[in-house]
Amino acid sequence: MFCCRLAAAAEKLARNLSSLNPRPRGRAAAAVLQCHHLRPPSRSLTSTGVPGKDGNNLVYYLIVGGAVTGAGTYVYKTLKKDKKRFLDRIETIATRSHDVKSSSEGDAVSQSTTAEQGLMTTEQGAPETDPNARPESPSHAPFLLIGGGTAAFAAARSIRARDPGARVLIVSEDPELPYMRPPLSKELWFSEDPNVIETLRFKQWNGKERSIFFQPPSFYVPARDLPYVENGGVAILSGKKVVHMDVRGNVVKLDDGTQISYDKCLIATGGSPRNLPAIERAGKDVQQRLTLFRKIEDFRALEKISREVKSITIIGGGFLGSELACALGRRATELEVIQMFPENGNMGKILPEYLSNWTTDKVKREGVNVMTNAVVKSVSVCGNRLIIKLKDGRKVETDHIVAAVGLEPNVELAKSAGLEVDSDFGGFRVNAELQARSNIWVAGDAACFYDIKLGRRRVEHHDHAVVSGRLAGENMTGAAKPYWHQSMFWSDLGPDVGYEAIGLVDSSLPTVGVFAKATAKDTPKSATEQSGTGIRSESETEAEAPEITISASSPSTPQVPKQGEDYGKGVIFYLRDKVVVGIVLWNIFNRMPIARKIIKDGEEHADLNEVAKLFNIHED
């Protein structure tokens, strides 16, 4: 094409030059029409000639010949280069096709020998990278869960149930795999296995053995392989902490500097155990002899300490403090166990006074020295012992302190993420679907949610973590369900006494208790034999009783139980504006769906004795 254009340009130039000379006339014109190249050369060919004579034709021929020669040379070189590029391109394509074929064959062989890993090539068809060369943390996770506790695991399981190919990454500050916390203060302490601190396996009250971990290590995918596994999976980055969250860029930063982007994120950071100001001021010597009980490592440390020291003091009279006191009290022949708290009796903030006092007596019978109305003023070290001074002047000498005085929700990410923290209850404020932002959810201890029956709340119990985590996982996959569940919690003071509760259970509220004589079946041990698990919320989950019918009767005045009575089993109703807002089932088990229905209905009942009959408390 270029050659043709060049020749045409040369011809046009020649015509223009020719037009500058006058056209010959007569014989001269005929001479011009002759083929000069057929004649013998003449001397005029070596002369430029005189303007207007034969010399002008020589210039014409030189220009045309030069143009044609140059064009030919250019075309030859261009075609030669194009041919070389063409041949190189063909060779490159052939080589690449051979490499892809070889890689595919190699991948097929690799997949046949490591089928359980389910490794595949990337979506672009690139060859699989060397697993050992991959970074420890993936750069992107479609579902990112911050926190490795019960809520996060429940969410991961829920996400995978609705989206079997989902890739879920859990970032956990805890070095352990996700596990259940209740046995840390209950069943593990009653294990007869001398290696229980290593195996973390325990026998439930019904005799069945299980592990504290939700799933074995084989359940999880290595984090570095998560982007490559064929059917997705759940991966865990253990011992890592998210320190910064960019909600606009959908990116989090870990404490080691790693950045991970996400599509959807769950915050399930839980909480950290509170400490007493008097202990915080005491210095390092006291801190070294203090346990803030929360994790597996705390259980292991305290179990070892309990075998090495002579005296342990537990500060706190709630669920955790009372459970640990009863558990350690079983070793009273070898160990002095002291429990102190500012209330009048064990679980005084929850149980009505008469039942709190009865519980205190129960704990004392387990070999615990219970000190009520005890407010810690200072803690110091004297010799090899700790000296605890109370505000009323009493002093206690001990070797080790366990502080069980509540939980502080972990909301450090609120600042960098710009998320709202509730000023009254703490925790991240979320909507009815547990959302803090359009693609950010919160579940478990760190969530402050709105209860349509009881108002805004924050709950710190296992069942709430399970249900809220499950619901958050469903909503992260598009379910758009509101959180209406009334979570339950339970506490066991050994295998013989236990209770389950739901709703607002606050001893400052008016209460009505209905009790009956207990039988051998009315114990936590018997309850686990019926349900098959000691983690009772696993068998009850979101169950709710169908329509319930309460027999009409004339209103009666409930009799307040007398001090000293043996409260075998019973139901305690907590009232607000004459409506039941909380229920405690004392040594009554597997009846929580009925209690949940009563609170959900939110009706005023004329005779709570009739309501109590729904729980079959008078059955033998």
Side-chain angles (χ1 to χ4, degrees), residues 318-319 323 347 350-351 359 488-493 497-501 524 536 584-589:
F319 308 110
E323 290 171 358
M347 290 177 282
I350 300 161
L351 300 178
T359 304
M488 59 87 69
F489 60 94
W490 80 99
S491 181
D492 295 336
L493 302 178
V497 177
Y499 65 88
E500 298 176 354
R536 294 195 283 277
V584 168
L585 303 181
W586 186 262
N587 273 343
I588 296 177
F589 308 98

Side-chain angles (χ1 to χ4, degrees), residues 129-273:
T129 59
D130 181 5
N132 295 325
R134 297 171 190 159
E136 178 187 5
S137 306
S139 60
H140 178 76
F143 295 94
L144 177 66
L145 313 184
I146 304 175
T150 300
F153 180 80
R157 189 161 50 184
S158 178
I159 291 170
R160 291 278 296 168
R162 288 176 54 86
D163 183 0
R167 305 176 195 278
V168 182
L169 177 63
I170 298 175
V171 180
S172 174
E173 190 176 358
D174 198 312
E176 304 287 350
L177 296 176
Y179 57 90
M180 58 190 79
R181 298 189 191 277
L184 294 178
S185 58
K186 297 181 176 70
E187 294 93 338
L188 282 176
W189 289 97
F190 296 91
S191 174
E192 297 177 358
D193 182 2
N195 299 318
V196 65
I197 61 174
E198 300 299 331
T199 64
L200 295 174
R201 297 188 63 85
F202 61 94
K203 285 186 178 181
Q204 303 174 102
W205 303 139
N206 60 2
K208 294 182 179 180
E209 186 177 87
R210 67 176 299 174
S211 171
I212 194 174
F213 296 101
F214 289 114
Q215 291 290 346
S218 59
F219 172 83
Y220 303 96
V221 175
R224 57 167 48 92
D225 295 337
L226 184 62
Y228 304 95
V229 289
E230 184 175 4
N231 296 318
V234 180
I236 296 186
L237 283 176
S238 299
K240 304 288 185 181
K241 182 179 181 180
V242 176
V243 295
H244 187 273
M245 190 172 187
D246 179 4
V247 297
R248 292 186 177 181
N250 293 342
V251 177
V252 299
K253 183 178 180 181
L254 308 187
D255 51 0
D256 62 0
T258 302
Q259 292 189 346
I260 302 174
S261 61
Y262 61 86
D263 296 329
K264 297 180 180 180
C265 178
L266 171 71
I267 299 176
T269 48
S272 300

